[in-house]
Amino acid sequence: MNAATFLLTFGGVSLVAGATFALNILGAADAKERYAAANAELAMHSLGELGPPKRVTSKQVYRFLGTVVALAGLVLTLGGLLELTA
């Protein structure tokens, strides 16, 4: 497997996955926020604390991280295209 194939595959997958969170397609960032809140609540219950859980991350954090991953995937995809033409 040459470098262009690897870069195009990995870059394309990263671009799609990051864009899904960055653009909140199908409520991906919302679901991730609810999942993190449920995990924080379960962790507090396992320690014996029955109060409300502390908010760990918000939807905006997941959307920002999705943007970073999407931009990195775009760079890798463009690098793969440049490798094909060289």
Side-chain angles (χ1 to χ4, degrees):
M1 178 165 73
N2 59 6
T5 306
F6 174 76
L7 288 174
L8 285 172
T9 303
F10 190 66
V13 169
S14 298
L15 180 62
V16 170
T20 300
F21 278 94
L23 300 175
N24 201 15
I25 296 173
L26 297 176
D30 295 331
K32 191 69 173 169
E33 181 184 25
R34 287 191 305 269
Y35 179 73
N39 277 343
E41 185 176 358
L42 285 174
M44 287 188 63
H45 285 287
S46 69
L47 294 175
E49 298 179 22
L50 299 177
K54 297 179 181 115
R55 186 176 186 145
V56 179
T57 54
S58 67
K59 175 175 56 172
Q60 287 79 18
V61 172
Y62 291 116
R63 291 185 75 182
F64 174 74
L65 291 175
T67 303
V68 170
V69 170
L71 289 175
L74 182 64
V75 168
L76 290 175
T77 302
L78 292 175
L81 289 174
L82 285 174
E83 186 70 29
L84 275 179
T85 60

Coordinates of all heavy atoms in Angstrom, one line a residue:
M1 N 0.9 -1.2 0.0 CA 0.0 0.0 0.0 C 0.9 1.2 0.0 O 1.8 1.4 0.9 CB -0.9 0.0 1.2 CG -1.8 1.2 1.4 SD -3.1 1.0 2.5 CE -2.3 1.1 4.1
N2 N 0.7 2.1 -1.0 CA 1.5 3.3 -1.0 C 1.0 4.4 -0.2 O -0.1 4.3 0.4 CB 1.7 3.7 -2.5 CG 0.4 4.0 -3.1 OD1 -0.6 4.0 -2.5 ND2 0.4 4.3 -4.4
A3 N 1.8 5.5 -0.1 CA 1.4 6.6 0.8 C 0.2 7.3 0.4 O -0.6 7.7 1.2 CB 2.6 7.6 0.9
A4 N -0.1 7.4 -0.9 CA -1.2 8.1 -1.4 C -2.5 7.4 -1.0 O -3.5 8.0 -0.6 CB -1.2 8.3 -2.9
T5 N -2.5 6.1 -1.1 CA -3.7 5.3 -0.7 C -4.0 5.5 0.8 O -5.1 5.7 1.2 CB -3.5 3.8 -1.0 OG1 -3.2 3.7 -2.4 CG2 -4.7 3.0 -0.7
F6 N -2.9 5.4 1.6 CA -3.1 5.6 3.0 C -3.6 7.0 3.4 O -4.5 7.2 4.1 CB -1.8 5.3 3.7 CG -1.8 5.6 5.2 CD1 -2.4 4.7 6.1 CD2 -1.2 6.8 5.7 CE1 -2.5 5.0 7.4 CE2 -1.3 7.1 7.1 CZ -1.9 6.2 7.9
L7 N -3.0 8.0 2.8 CA -3.4 9.4 3.1 C -4.8 9.7 2.6 O -5.6 10.3 3.3 CB -2.4 10.4 2.4 CG -1.1 10.5 3.0 CD1 -0.2 11.4 2.2 CD2 -1.1 11.0 4.5
L8 N -5.2 9.2 1.5 CA -6.6 9.4 1.0 C -7.6 8.7 1.8 O -8.7 9.2 2.2 CB -6.7 9.0 -0.5 CG -6.1 9.9 -1.5 CD1 -6.1 9.3 -2.9 CD2 -6.8 11.3 -1.5
T9 N -7.3 7.5 2.2 CA -8.2 6.7 3.0 C -8.4 7.3 4.4 O -9.5 7.6 4.9 CB -7.8 5.2 3.2 OG1 -7.7 4.7 1.8 CG2 -8.8 4.4 4.0
F10 N -7.2 7.5 5.1 CA -7.3 8.0 6.5 C -7.8 9.5 6.5 O -8.5 9.8 7.4 CB -5.9 7.9 7.1 CG -5.8 8.2 8.6 CD1 -6.4 7.4 9.4 CD2 -5.2 9.4 9.0 CE1 -6.4 7.6 10.8 CE2 -5.2 9.6 10.4 CZ -5.8 8.8 11.3
G11 N -7.4 10.3 5.5 CA -7.8 11.6 5.5 C -9.3 11.7 5.2 O -10.0 12.6 5.8
G12 N -9.8 10.9 4.3 CA -11.3 10.9 4.0 C -12.1 10.5 5.2 O -13.1 11.1 5.5
V13 N -11.7 9.5 5.9 CA -12.4 9.0 7.1 C -12.4 10.1 8.2 O -13.4 10.4 8.8 CB -11.8 7.7 7.6 CG1 -12.4 7.3 8.9 CG2 -12.1 6.6 6.6
S14 N -11.2 10.7 8.4 CA -11.1 11.8 9.4 C -12.0 13.0 9.0 O -12.6 13.6 9.9 CB -9.7 12.2 9.5 OG -8.9 11.1 10.0
L15 N -12.0 13.3 7.7 CA -12.8 14.4 7.3 C -14.3 14.2 7.5 O -15.0 15.1 8.0 CB -12.5 14.7 5.8 CG -13.2 15.8 5.1 CD1 -12.9 17.2 5.8 CD2 -12.9 15.9 3.6
V16 N -14.7 13.0 7.2 CA -16.2 12.7 7.3 C -16.5 12.7 8.8 O -17.6 13.2 9.3 CB -16.5 11.4 6.6 CG1 -17.9 11.0 7.0 CG2 -16.4 11.6 5.1
A17 N -15.7 12.0 9.6 CA -16.0 11.8 11.1 C -15.9 13.2 11.8 O -16.8 13.5 12.6 CB -15.0 10.9 11.7
G18 N -15.0 14.0 11.4 CA -14.9 15.3 12.0 C -16.0 16.2 11.6 O -16.5 17.0 12.4
A19 N -16.4 16.2 10.4 CA -17.5 17.0 9.9 C -18.8 16.6 10.5 O -19.7 17.5 10.7 CB -17.6 16.9 8.4
T20 N -18.9 15.3 10.8 CA -20.2 14.9 11.5 C -20.3 15.5 12.8 O -21.4 16.0 13.2 CB -20.1 13.3 11.6 OG1 -20.0 12.8 10.4 CG2 -21.4 12.8 12.3
F21 N -19.3 15.7 13.6 CA -19.3 16.3 14.9 C -19.3 17.8 14.7 O -20.1 18.5 15.5 CB -18.2 15.9 15.8 CG -18.4 14.6 16.5 CD1 -17.9 13.4 15.9 CD2 -19.1 14.5 17.6 CE1 -18.2 12.2 16.5 CE2 -19.4 13.3 18.3 CZ -18.9 12.1 17.7
A22 N -18.6 18.4 13.8 CA -18.5 19.8 13.7 C -19.8 20.4 13.2 O -20.2 21.5 13.7 CB -17.4 20.2 12.7
L23 N -20.5 19.8 12.3 CA -21.8 20.3 11.8 C -22.9 19.7 12.6 O -24.1 20.0 12.3 CB -21.9 19.9 10.3 CG -20.8 20.6 9.5 CD1 -20.9 20.1 8.0 CD2 -20.8 22.1 9.5
N24 N -22.7 18.9 13.6 CA -23.7 18.3 14.4 C -24.7 17.5 13.6 O -25.9 17.6 13.8 CB -24.4 19.3 15.3 CG -25.1 18.7 16.5 OD1 -24.8 17.6 16.9 ND2 -25.9 19.5 17.2
I25 N -24.2 16.7 12.6 CA -25.1 15.9 11.8 C -25.7 14.8 12.6 O -25.0 14.1 13.3 CB -24.3 15.4 10.6 CG1 -23.8 16.5 9.7 CG2 -25.2 14.4 9.7 CD1 -22.9 16.2 8.6
L26 N -27.0 14.7 12.5 CA -27.8 13.7 13.2 C -27.7 13.8 14.7 O -27.9 12.9 15.5 CB -27.5 12.3 12.8 CG -27.8 11.9 11.3 CD1 -27.3 10.5 11.0 CD2 -29.3 12.0 11.0
G27 N -27.3 15.0 15.2 CA -27.2 15.3 16.6 C -26.0 14.5 17.3 O -26.1 14.1 18.4
A28 N -24.9 14.4 16.5 CA -23.8 13.6 17.1 C -23.2 14.3 18.3 O -22.9 13.7 19.3 CB -22.7 13.5 16.0
A29 N -23.0 15.6 18.2 CA -22.4 16.3 19.4 C -23.4 16.3 20.6 O -22.9 16.2 21.7 CB -22.1 17.8 19.0
D30 N -24.7 16.5 20.3 CA -25.7 16.4 21.4 C -25.6 15.0 22.1 O -25.7 15.0 23.3 CB -27.1 16.7 20.8 CG -27.2 18.1 20.3 OD1 -26.5 19.0 20.7 OD2 -28.0 18.2 19.3
A31 N -25.6 14.0 21.3 CA -25.6 12.6 21.8 C -24.3 12.4 22.6 O -24.3 11.8 23.7 CB -25.7 11.6 20.7
K32 N -23.2 12.9 22.1 CA -21.9 12.7 22.9 C -21.9 13.5 24.2 O -21.4 13.0 25.2 CB -20.7 13.2 22.0 CG -19.4 12.9 22.5 CD -19.1 11.4 22.4 CE -17.7 11.1 22.8 NZ -17.5 9.7 23.0
E33 N -22.6 14.7 24.2 CA -22.7 15.4 25.5 C -23.6 14.7 26.5 O -23.2 14.6 27.7 CB -23.3 16.8 25.2 CG -23.5 17.7 26.4 CD -24.2 19.0 26.1 OE1 -24.9 19.1 25.1 OE2 -24.0 19.9 26.8
R34 N -24.7 14.1 26.0 CA -25.6 13.3 26.9 C -24.8 12.1 27.4 O -25.0 11.7 28.6 CB -26.8 12.9 26.2 CG -27.8 14.1 26.0 CD -29.2 13.6 25.5 NE -29.1 12.8 24.3 CZ -29.2 13.2 23.1 NH1 -29.3 14.5 22.9 NH2 -29.1 12.4 22.0
Y35 N -24.0 11.5 26.6 CA -23.3 10.3 27.0 C -22.2 10.6 28.0 O -22.1 9.9 29.0 CB -22.6 9.7 25.7 CG -21.7 8.5 26.0 CD1 -22.3 7.2 26.2 CD2 -20.3 8.6 25.9 CE1 -21.6 6.1 26.5 CE2 -19.6 7.4 26.2 CZ -20.2 6.2 26.4 OH -19.4 5.1 26.6
A36 N -21.6 11.8 27.9 CA -20.6 12.2 28.9 C -21.3 12.5 30.2 O -20.7 12.2 31.3 CB -19.8 13.4 28.4
A37 N -22.4 13.2 30.1 CA -23.2 13.5 31.4 C -23.6 12.2 32.1 O -23.5 12.1 33.3 CB -24.3 14.4 31.0
A38 N -24.1 11.2 31.3 CA -24.5 10.0 32.0 C -23.3 9.3 32.6 O -23.5 8.7 33.7 CB -25.2 9.1 30.9
N39 N -22.2 9.3 31.9 CA -21.0 8.6 32.5 C -20.5 9.3 33.8 O -20.1 8.7 34.7 CB -19.9 8.6 31.5 CG -20.0 7.4 30.5 OD1 -20.7 6.5 30.8 ND2 -19.3 7.5 29.4
A40 N -20.6 10.7 33.8 CA -20.2 11.4 35.0 C -21.1 11.1 36.1 O -20.7 11.0 37.3 CB -20.2 12.9 34.7
E41 N -22.4 11.0 35.8 CA -23.4 10.6 36.9 C -23.1 9.2 37.4 O -23.2 9.0 38.6 CB -24.8 10.7 36.3 CG -25.9 10.5 37.3 CD -27.3 10.7 36.8 OE1 -27.4 11.0 35.6 OE2 -28.2 10.5 37.5
L42 N -22.9 8.3 36.5 CA -22.6 6.9 37.0 C -21.3 6.9 37.8 O -21.2 6.1 38.8 CB -22.4 6.0 35.8 CG -23.7 5.6 35.1 CD1 -23.4 4.8 33.9 CD2 -24.6 4.8 36.1
A43 N -20.3 7.7 37.4 CA -19.0 7.7 38.2 C -19.3 8.3 39.6 O -18.7 7.8 40.6 CB -18.0 8.5 37.4
M44 N -20.1 9.3 39.7 CA -20.4 9.9 41.0 C -21.2 8.9 41.9 O -20.9 8.8 43.1 CB -21.1 11.2 40.9 CG -20.2 12.3 40.4 SD -20.9 13.9 40.4 CE -21.2 14.1 42.1
H45 N -22.1 8.2 41.3 CA -22.9 7.2 42.0 C -22.0 6.1 42.5 O -22.3 5.5 43.6 CB -24.1 6.7 41.2 CG -25.2 7.6 41.0 ND1 -26.1 7.9 42.0 CD2 -25.6 8.4 39.9 CE1 -27.0 8.8 41.6 NE2 -26.7 9.1 40.3
S46 N -21.1 5.7 41.7 CA -20.2 4.6 42.1 C -19.3 5.0 43.3 O -18.9 4.1 44.1 CB -19.3 4.1 41.0 OG -18.4 5.1 40.7
L47 N -19.1 6.3 43.5 CA -18.3 6.8 44.6 C -19.2 7.1 45.8 O -18.7 7.4 46.9 CB -17.6 8.1 44.2 CG -16.5 7.9 43.2 CD1 -15.9 9.3 42.8 CD2 -15.4 7.0 43.7
G48 N -20.5 6.9 45.6 CA -21.4 7.1 46.8 C -22.0 8.6 46.9 O -22.7 8.9 47.8
E49 N -21.6 9.4 45.9 CA -22.2 10.8 45.9 C -23.5 10.8 45.1 O -23.5 10.5 44.0 CB -21.1 11.7 45.3 CG -19.8 11.8 46.1 CD -18.9 12.8 45.5 OE1 -19.3 13.6 44.7 OE2 -17.7 12.6 45.8
L50 N -24.5 11.3 45.7 CA -25.8 11.2 45.1 C -26.3 12.6 44.6 O -27.4 12.8 44.1 CB -26.9 10.7 46.0 CG -26.6 9.2 46.5 CD1 -27.7 8.8 47.5 CD2 -26.5 8.3 45.3
G51 N -25.4 13.6 44.6 CA -25.7 14.9 44.1 C -25.7 15.0 42.6 O -25.4 14.0 41.9
P52 N -26.0 16.2 42.1 CA -25.9 16.3 40.6 C -24.5 16.2 40.1 O -23.6 16.7 40.8 CB -26.6 17.7 40.4 CG -26.4 18.4 41.7 CD -26.4 17.4 42.8
P53 N -24.3 15.6 39.0 CA -22.9 15.5 38.5 C -22.4 16.9 38.0 O -23.2 17.7 37.5 CB -23.1 14.5 37.3 CG -24.5 14.7 36.9 CD -25.3 15.0 38.1
K54 N -21.1 17.0 38.0 CA -20.5 18.2 37.5 C -20.4 18.1 36.0 O -20.2 17.0 35.4 CB -19.1 18.4 38.0 CG -19.0 18.6 39.5 CD -17.6 18.7 40.0 CE -17.6 18.8 41.5 NZ -17.0 17.7 42.2
R55 N -20.6 19.2 35.3 CA -20.6 19.2 33.8 C -19.1 19.1 33.4 O -18.3 19.9 33.7 CB -21.2 20.4 33.3 CG -21.3 20.4 31.8 CD -22.1 21.7 31.4 NE -22.3 21.6 30.0 CZ -23.4 22.1 29.4 NH1 -24.3 22.7 30.1 NH2 -23.6 22.0 28.1
V56 N -18.8 18.0 32.6 CA -17.5 17.8 32.2 C -17.2 18.5 30.9 O -16.3 19.3 30.8 CB -17.2 16.3 32.0 CG1 -15.8 16.0 31.5 CG2 -17.5 15.5 33.3
T57 N -17.9 18.2 29.8 CA -17.7 18.9 28.5 C -19.1 19.3 28.0 O -20.1 18.7 28.3 CB -17.0 17.9 27.5 OG1 -17.7 16.7 27.5 CG2 -15.6 17.7 27.9
S58 N -19.0 20.3 27.1 CA -20.3 20.7 26.5 C -20.3 20.4 25.0 O -19.3 19.9 24.5 CB -20.4 22.3 26.7 OG -19.4 22.9 25.9
K59 N -21.4 20.7 24.4 CA -21.5 20.4 23.0 C -20.5 21.2 22.1 O -20.0 20.7 21.1 CB -23.0 20.7 22.5 CG -23.2 20.6 21.1 CD -24.7 20.8 20.7 CE -25.2 22.1 21.2 NZ -26.6 22.4 20.7
Q60 N -20.2 22.4 22.6 CA -19.3 23.3 21.8 C -17.9 22.7 21.8 O -17.2 22.8 20.8 CB -19.3 24.7 22.4 CG -20.5 25.5 22.1 CD -21.7 25.2 23.0 OE1 -21.5 24.6 24.0 NE2 -22.9 25.5 22.5
V61 N -17.5 22.0 22.9 CA -16.2 21.4 22.9 C -16.1 20.3 21.9 O -15.1 20.2 21.1 CB -15.9 20.9 24.3 CG1 -14.6 20.0 24.3 CG2 -15.8 22.0 25.3
Y62 N -17.1 19.4 21.8 CA -17.1 18.4 20.8 C -17.2 18.9 19.4 O -16.6 18.3 18.5 CB -18.3 17.4 21.1 CG -18.1 16.6 22.3 CD1 -19.0 16.8 23.4 CD2 -17.1 15.7 22.5 CE1 -18.8 16.0 24.5 CE2 -16.9 15.0 23.6 CZ -17.8 15.2 24.7 OH -17.6 14.5 25.8
R63 N -17.9 20.0 19.2 CA -18.0 20.6 17.8 C -16.6 21.2 17.5 O -16.2 21.1 16.3 CB -19.1 21.6 17.8 CG -20.4 21.0 17.9 CD -21.5 22.0 17.7 NE -21.6 22.3 16.2 CZ -22.4 23.1 15.7 NH1 -23.3 23.8 16.5 NH2 -22.4 23.4 14.4
F64 N -15.9 21.8 18.4 CA -14.6 22.3 18.2 C -13.6 21.2 17.8 O -12.8 21.3 16.9 CB -14.1 23.1 19.4 CG -12.6 23.6 19.2 CD1 -12.3 24.6 18.4 CD2 -11.6 23.0 19.9 CE1 -11.0 25.1 18.2 CE2 -10.3 23.4 19.8 CZ -10.0 24.4 18.9
L65 N -13.6 20.1 18.6 CA -12.7 19.0 18.3 C -13.0 18.4 17.0 O -12.1 17.9 16.3 CB -12.8 18.0 19.5 CG -12.3 18.4 20.8 CD1 -12.6 17.3 21.9 CD2 -10.8 18.7 20.7
G66 N -14.3 18.3 16.6 CA -14.7 17.8 15.3 C -14.2 18.7 14.2 O -13.7 18.2 13.2
T67 N -14.2 20.0 14.4 CA -13.6 20.9 13.4 C -12.1 20.7 13.3 O -11.6 20.7 12.1 CB -13.8 22.4 13.9 OG1 -15.3 22.6 14.0 CG2 -13.3 23.4 12.8
V68 N -11.4 20.5 14.4 CA -9.9 20.2 14.3 C -9.7 18.9 13.5 O -8.8 18.9 12.7 CB -9.3 20.2 15.7 CG1 -7.9 19.7 15.7 CG2 -9.4 21.6 16.3
V69 N -10.4 17.9 13.8 CA -10.2 16.6 13.1 C -10.6 16.7 11.7 O -9.9 16.2 10.8 CB -11.1 15.5 13.8 CG1 -11.1 14.2 13.0 CG2 -10.5 15.2 15.2
A70 N -11.7 17.5 11.3 CA -12.0 17.6 9.9 C -11.0 18.4 9.2 O -10.7 18.1 8.0 CB -13.4 18.4 9.8
L71 N -10.4 19.4 9.8 CA -9.3 20.2 9.1 C -8.1 19.3 8.9 O -7.4 19.4 7.8 CB -9.0 21.5 9.8 CG -10.1 22.5 9.8 CD1 -9.7 23.7 10.7 CD2 -10.3 23.0 8.4
A72 N -7.8 18.5 9.9 CA -6.6 17.6 9.7 C -6.9 16.6 8.7 O -6.0 16.3 7.9 CB -6.3 16.9 11.1
G73 N -8.1 16.1 8.6 CA -8.5 15.1 7.5 C -8.4 15.8 6.1 O -8.0 15.1 5.2
L74 N -8.8 17.0 6.1 CA -8.7 17.8 4.8 C -7.2 17.9 4.3 O -6.9 17.7 3.2 CB -9.3 19.1 4.9 CG -9.4 20.0 3.6 CD1 -10.2 19.3 2.6 CD2 -9.9 21.3 4.0
V75 N -6.3 18.2 5.3 CA -4.9 18.3 5.0 C -4.4 17.0 4.5 O -3.6 16.9 3.5 CB -4.1 18.9 6.2 CG1 -2.7 18.7 6.0 CG2 -4.5 20.3 6.5
L76 N -4.7 15.9 5.2 CA -4.3 14.6 4.8 C -4.8 14.2 3.4 O -4.1 13.6 2.6 CB -4.6 13.5 5.8 CG -3.9 13.6 7.2 CD1 -4.5 12.6 8.1 CD2 -2.4 13.4 7.0
T77 N -6.0 14.5 3.1 CA -6.6 14.2 1.8 C -5.9 15.0 0.7 O -5.6 14.4 -0.3 CB -8.1 14.5 1.9 OG1 -8.8 13.7 2.9 CG2 -8.8 14.1 0.5
L78 N -5.7 16.2 1.0 CA -5.0 17.0 0.0 C -3.6 16.5 -0.2 O -3.0 16.5 -1.3 CB -5.0 18.5 0.4 CG -6.3 19.2 0.3 CD1 -6.2 20.6 0.8 CD2 -6.9 19.2 -1.1
G79 N -2.9 16.1 0.8 CA -1.6 15.5 0.7 C -1.6 14.2 -0.1 O -0.7 14.0 -0.9
G80 N -2.6 13.4 0.1 CA -2.8 12.2 -0.7 C -3.0 12.5 -2.2 O -2.5 11.8 -3.0
L81 N -3.8 13.6 -2.4 CA -4.0 14.0 -3.8 C -2.7 14.5 -4.5 O -2.4 14.2 -5.6 CB -5.1 15.0 -3.9 CG -6.5 14.5 -3.7 CD1 -7.5 15.7 -3.6 CD2 -6.9 13.5 -4.7
L82 N -1.9 15.2 -3.7 CA -0.6 15.7 -4.2 C 0.3 14.5 -4.4 O 1.1 14.6 -5.4 CB 0.0 16.7 -3.2 CG -0.6 18.1 -3.2 CD1 0.0 18.9 -2.1 CD2 -0.5 18.8 -4.6
E83 N 0.2 13.5 -3.6 CA 1.1 12.4 -3.8 C 0.7 11.6 -5.0 O 1.6 11.0 -5.7 CB 1.0 11.5 -2.5 CG 1.9 10.3 -2.5 CD 3.4 10.7 -2.3 OE1 3.6 11.7 -1.6 OE2 4.2 10.0 -2.7
L84 N -0.5 11.6 -5.3 CA -1.0 10.9 -6.6 C -0.5 11.6 -7.8 O -0.1 10.9 -8.8 CB -2.5 10.8 -6.6 CG -3.2 9.7 -5.9 CD1 -4.7 9.8 -6.0 CD2 -2.7 8.3 -6.4
T85 N -0.4 12.9 -7.8 CA 0.0 13.6 -9.0 C 1.5 13.7 -9.1 O 2.0 13.9 -10.2 CB -0.5 15.1 -8.9 OG1 0.0 15.7 -7.8 CG2 -2.0 15.1 -8.9
A86 N 2.2 13.4 -8.1 CA 3.7 13.4 -8.1 C 4.3 12.2 -8.7 O 3.8 11.2 -8.9 CB 4.3 13.6 -6.7

